[in-house]
Structures are given as C-alpha cells and as structure tokens.
Amino acid sequence: MMIECAPPVCTAATRREFLAILAATGLLSGCAGDTTGAPGGATSRRIEHPLGVTDVPVAPARVVAIDRRGTLPHLLALGIEPVGALTHESIIGSQFPGVVADLARDVTVLPTAGSSDEVRLEAVAALQPDLLLGWTDGIADQYDALSRIAPTVAVDIDVHDAEPSLRAIAAAVGRDQRADTIIGEFDALRAQRIAALGEIGTVSAVLGVGDQIRVYRPQASSVTRWLQDAGGRIVPDTTGLAGEPYRDLFVTVGPELLGEVNGDTLIVMANSGADGEAALNALSGNPLWSGLPAVRAGRVIRLNSQESVGYFGYQGYATVLDSLAGQWAALAP
C-alpha cells in the first residue's frame, strides 16, 4: 500500500521567487563583494574556526568545498562557484542536489580516498585552490595536509538549521552582508507563505528509517520549526514516548508505536532513493496507519527530508517551503 498523500508540488514557485530575489540583489552574479572585516588594502583576513585560526584571501577566486553536506549550496547562494567539491551521491543518490545542479555544472567532482569524506590530496592540489572549506569532522584528520595546499577553514554543518553554516561560510569568504540578505529575504518569504496556511492546529512529523520511525520534536527540521513558530503545536509530546531519543530532535520508536502519532496534520518526511521509498512503504503498510487521525481526515503531506534540513541550503528551504504550501492548500478542511 502506498502512502495516500498529495504528491509534492513541482512548480517551484517559491524557489523561483527566492532565486529572483538573489539575482536582483546580485547574489547569483558571482561578482566580487563584501570582503567583510578586511582593512583597506589588506590581502588577507584572519578567520577563527573549529580547527584553528587561518589567514584567508580577502577575495578568494578558487574555492574548493570538501564537504558532502551544505557547503556547495551555500557558496552558490553567496555568488561563488567553487572549482571543486565532494559529490553528494553517497548521501542523496545524485552527484549534486537537484536544486543547485544547474549552477554546479562546471564544478569538478573530487575523488575520495578511503571514506566518503576523505579527499585525494593530489586532486585538491591540482585545482590550484586559494581557499579550502570543509566539514569539521570530515577534514579533521587531513587538516594539516590540506593546510599545506591552501588556507583551510573548517565549518560545523548543522543539518537541522542552515543558518549557522551559511554564516560561517560567508565569514570565510567575506560575504557576511550577502548572508544577511539571503536569510532576511527568505524569512520574509517564509512568513508570508506560512501565514497563508491559516490556523495550523496540531501537527505530527515522522521519518521512516527501515522499519523504525523517527517522531520529530519541534527543532528537528525547518518545517516543524516554521509551523510551531506560526502557532502550530507539534505532537505527540515525545518526553513520555518509549523509544530512543536523539538530542532534542526526535525519538526513534518501533512500528508498534505508530498509533501515538496523533496530529491533525501529518508531515511524512522521505529520504531520496530506494531506501527512502522502502521506508515509506513500510510506514503506510503498518496496520496502524489507516487509524491515524490525519490519515482518516486526508491531511497527509509528503516532503523531502534532505531539503528540509541543511544539505541543500536555502535553495532547498525554498523548494520544501513551496511544496509544503502547495500541498497544505490542497488538503481536506
């Protein structure tokens, strides 16, 4: 049995609006700019980051993203096309996220050595970079070697909130003001779209992982935060839910507890690829599925999990916002 929910809206109207905003403010032009914190005439700026202190070029021209998470989309949103990047394929099943694939056509995919986060140093050096950006945990073991190739800055990627990593990357490339514009313009667009949903009521959000179910808390993803900020209430209260809690983000429960998911509206998160589809089928095939209040009322929405977190940056946020608003408008009253 397949999940009976409205299909994701593919018009990408919100994404077009958001990208138009970026274009109008020069954020997709790739032009030089900002260089926040650089004294007049200086050629470098000192950046503190999780692995040390690095002197970086004021206006880096050959940036390499050693990260399979949010760095590439953030750089593109800031108007910088990196010369190389690690592929996202092991996480999402495609070389680069679809929402930025067109802008990343000329980005060289870096070969890996060992793990998916360990890059071949000779391939990095061949690109003649003037700045390397990488996920802190992913580059920790290679940090010294990478720093001998080019100035290297580590970035903590918060997959549950894109803003901290965007700001850290903007600081490294001297485009803090552009980050402010991206965040501010998107927040205004989000507020407008979420306000149009009307009264939110109670909402549950789940993600199937194999035959297990992650029951989201309000801070687990952008979508649950947006809905709670707009007056919705994320249910159930997971503090008394038998399962395996993960920080303050979600509780993983067995399939026998699906009946606890009692929101008036149900957000079903789905990962990309065959595993994600299999988890969706396991969820909808659960005998308790048809008894859920949201399923009985025809109020089920399916969203891409990775777009709702930090992997696809604000471009992903714009796409998932568009899908959320479109599907919500089509729900039964």
Side-chain angles (χ1 to χ4, degrees), residues 16 22 35 39 42 104 109 137 140 149 208 212 227 231 251 297 302 319:
R16 286 198 302 273
L22 298 186
T35 61
V109 174
D137 292 349
I149 297 173
Q212 300 294 295
L227 294 175
V251 175
R302 173 178 168 177
T319 302

Side-chain angles (χ1 to χ4, degrees), residues 74-137:
H74 288 324
L75 284 171
L76 293 170
L78 291 166
I80 294 175
E81 181 181 287
V83 294
L86 282 183
T87 177
H88 288 60
E89 192 160 0
S90 61
I91 294 179
I92 64 174
S94 61
Q95 196 171 80
F96 296 126
V99 293
V100 299
D102 287 347
L103 295 174
R105 283 176 296 188
D106 297 327
V107 176
T108 298
V109 174
L110 293 171
T112 56
S115 73
S116 298
D117 292 304
E118 183 181 351
V119 70
R120 292 188 183 275
L121 297 173
E122 65 275 14
V124 176
L127 292 174
Q128 299 181 309
D130 57 7
L131 177 62
L132 305 179
L133 294 171
W135 174 49
T136 303
D137 292 349

Side-chain angles (χ1 to χ4, degrees), residues 132-198:
L132 305 179
L133 294 171
W135 174 49
T136 303
D137 292 349
I139 68 169
D141 291 342
Q142 292 184 300
Y143 176 71
D144 290 341
L146 290 168
S147 297
R148 288 192 287 271
I149 297 173
T152 302
V153 172
V155 178
D156 285 338
I157 303 294
D158 184 345
V159 300
H160 303 284
D161 186 356
E163 181 176 340
S165 47
L166 173 64
R167 290 196 180 279
I169 291 166
V173 298
R175 301 199 176 187
D176 300 78
Q177 293 175 13
R178 294 187 177 209
D180 289 341
T181 300
I182 291 168
I183 294 165
E185 296 286 6
F186 178 77
D187 284 348
L189 189 64
R190 170 183 57 81
Q192 179 186 36
R193 284 298 181 92
I194 296 297
L197 302 184

Side-chain angles (χ1 to χ4, degrees), residues 202-207 213-216 234-238 241 251 253-268 283 286 288-296 299-300:
T202 60
V203 179
S204 296
V206 298
L207 170 69
I213 304 163
R214 289 180 183 174
V215 181
Y216 281 16
I234 308 304
V235 297
D237 179 359
T238 58
L241 198 59
V251 175
V253 302
E256 71 281 359
L257 292 181
L258 179 60
E260 299 294 320
V261 178
N262 57 353
D264 296 330
T265 303
L266 176 60
I267 307 290
V268 178
L283 192 63
N286 187 309
L288 300 173
W289 171 262
S290 59
L292 298 180
V295 174
R296 294 200 309 268
R299 295 189 58 83
V300 181

Side-chain angles (χ1 to χ4, degrees), residues 58-85:
V58 167
R62 297 187 63 80
V63 181
V64 171
I66 307 176
D67 167 40
R68 300 177 297 126
R69 291 158 181 83
T71 300
L72 173 64
H74 288 324
L75 284 171
L76 293 170
L78 291 166
I80 294 175
E81 181 181 287
V83 294

